[in-house]
Each structure stands twice: as structure tokens, then as C-alpha cells.
Amino acid sequence: MWLTTATTAVSLLLLPALSSSSSAAAAAAPVASLTDARLALLALEDAIVHTALSRAALPPFSQSEELPLAAATLALQAPAYYSPYSANLSVDPAFASRPPLPPFLDYARTDPARWGDNSTISSTTTTTIVDFYYASLLPALTTAYATQDPQHVGVNGSLPLVVPAGAALLPVAAAGPSAALLALLAQRIAFGGKAVADAKLAADAGGALCALIRAGDAAGVRAAITVPAQEALVLERVFNKTATWGAPWAAVGSTSAATAVQRLYHDFVIKMTSDMEVAVLLAKPECQQPDS
């Protein structure tokens, strides 16, 4: 349900432009305002947090156990989840993933300076979202929301999934929520990078951003489009949502899970979205010729 709602919100704004194979048709499509783009990202944010909490209600499984099943799920559901976005938004091979995983999930930020980020490279930023999910995020989620009764696994905090005595949940039971969460993360980065970049360029009345693009100044472009207050707001919001929405059924407190989701956004989602924005902007043909 959350994935469908978020996908619908995004599709209403951007899908006509992204699904078209004609560059002329895409260019003619209306550009979403920055406010509308952020509202769509907010819908995706809610879906990401809710889906993370749904996955937290199930037992943890290793990457080797669960990822092949999640990938198989994505292969079946890919057209509805992300294919309209991936074909047009992977402007650089660096963003691609191993099919059937969506773009960005296997993207390690080993060269952030390419997209104007001159901050120090850390071990976290060179990790992929998939690796972070299984190594850090999933353990934090499943620990925070571990059920007190191994025979009753809470789903969304209210609908218990009753496991017969002596039975065990198999990795396939958790692969669906994991696949949905990974698809949402890829969609958020893809949509955020394209829609926000387009909106910011459309608002560039003075041409300062276009001048930076024309000069190939990735660092200047990134600085021009970065709004620290907005990033801080998003980080605070995802922390509070995870902690608040998960609190009623947290077994050991939801702060650790909220911190992990906030770290997911800080180290991956926001940085990769900014990378995507810069990549999209640097490729804008309308900024390649000096103004007459």
C-alpha cells in the first residue's frame, strides 16, 4: 500500500516525461515545481519508513540468504516499481546496478569529487546501499523491534503474524519487504535527482546555475543546489518518524533503529541524490551554449 501510494505521487509529477522514448517529448513535458517535487519525496519518505518498520517485524536473515530472493522479487515487480525511472535517469554507468536490482543500489561513492563533493571519503560512503542495508540497517531494525514471543511476529505493530509452534519463518517471508524497501530507495534517489535538478534549473532566472554547468564546475553546481537547512530537516524528520511510529511495539526502544534510518539518509540517500542532481545538471544541453 505504501509503495503504491508513493509511486502514484511520484508518477503524477514525473512519469510522463521519464517514460517517453522521445527526447523532444520529454523536453516538452512540464517541470514540477520544487515544492511539488519535495511533496512527492515526502510521500516516498513515509513509504520508506513504514516499509522499514514492516521489515523490522520479521527475523533477520543474512545477505546471502535473503538478497537472491529479494532480487527475484524485484525482477517480477520491476516494471511497476522503477523501470520507468531507471532507463532515463542512469545518466552515468556509475549509477547502474546488477540486474534485476534497480540503479543506485550497487553504486559506491568511490569518487565523490566527480559530482562536486570534495569531502573526505570514508568507509561508509564507499559502501553500497545493499551492503549497508544487510550489514547495519537490518540488524538495527530487527533488534529494536524484536518480538518478545518468537511465535508471534508483529507486522506493522498491530497485525501479528502467528507462526505455528516448531515452525520457522524462511528468508522468502522477509524478501518481499526488503525488495520493496530497496526499490523505494532507488526510486527516491532517481526521482529526487531528476525532479529536483529540473526544478532548480527552471528557477535559475539569473542564469548563475547554467553558467556553472557550462563551465563544467561540478563543485560549484553542488554548492549552488545544496540547501543545508533542508537536508537537516529531512534528517530530523526521518529520525522522528521512525522513533515515533515504531515506539508502540519496540521491544528494546526505537532510538537505535531511528539512528540507523537517519544514517541511511545522511550517508546514502541525500548524498546519492545530490550526485544524481549534479550528473543530470551537467548533462543539460540547454546550458552548453553561452547566452546570446
Side-chain angles (χ1 to χ4, degrees), residues 7-283:
T7 301
T8 300
V10 173
S11 299
L12 288 175
L13 286 176
L14 202 60
L15 188 55
L18 294 183
S19 60
S20 173
S21 59
S22 167
S23 58
V31 174
S33 70
L34 187 57
T35 297
D36 287 342
R38 285 176 174 165
L39 286 173
L41 291 178
L42 184 61
L44 281 168
E45 179 183 298
D46 288 351
I48 287 168
V49 173
H50 278 303
T51 307
L53 293 174
S54 294
R55 176 59 187 88
L58 299 167
F61 294 104
S62 68
Q63 183 168 343
S64 61
E65 289 177 305
E66 187 186 288
L67 183 57
L69 297 168
T73 301
L74 284 166
L76 293 173
Q77 300 173 333
Y81 281 10
Y82 63 84
S83 62
Y85 305 87
S86 62
N88 293 293
L89 290 181
S90 292
V91 296
D92 187 277
F95 297 130
S97 289
R98 297 187 306 267
L101 293 181
F104 309 106
L105 297 185
D106 279 348
Y107 166 47
R109 302 183 71 245
T110 55
D111 186 19
R114 180 177 184 181
W115 311 121
D117 184 358
N118 295 316
S119 57
T120 303
I121 297 178
S122 68
S123 58
T124 299
T125 56
T126 58
T127 299
T128 67
I129 286 182
V130 168
D131 289 339
F132 174 79
Y133 174 67
Y134 284 103
S136 300
L137 180 60
L138 189 55
L141 289 171
T142 53
T143 297
Y145 300 103
T147 177
Q148 299 295 332
D149 180 356
Q151 301 304 322
H152 294 78
V153 182
V155 177
N156 305 335
S158 58
L159 303 175
L161 174 61
V162 180
V163 182
L169 283 172
L170 299 176
V172 68
S178 288
L181 180 57
L182 292 171
L184 282 166
L185 291 171
Q187 194 175 96
R188 196 278 183 197
I189 297 167
F191 173 77
K194 178 67 166 61
V196 174
D198 286 348
K200 289 177 178 177
L201 184 59
D204 182 37
L209 181 56
C210 230
L212 293 168
I213 295 169
R214 189 161 49 248
D217 184 355
V221 169
R222 195 180 190 99
I225 64 175
T226 298
V227 184
Q230 177 66 24
E231 293 184 357
L233 174 64
V234 171
L235 291 173
E236 180 182 14
R237 201 166 59 203
V238 296
F239 180 93
N240 290 337
K241 286 177 181 178
T242 307
T244 302
W245 294 346
W249 71 95
V252 293
S254 56
T255 301
S256 62
T259 299
V261 173
Q262 186 182 57
R263 182 182 167 201
L264 169 71
Y265 262 76
H266 179 274
D267 290 356
F268 297 91
V269 174
I270 290 177
K271 291 182 185 297
M272 290 183 179
T273 301
S274 294
D275 291 350
M276 186 65 194
E277 284 184 61
V278 174
V280 167
L281 289 170
L282 289 177

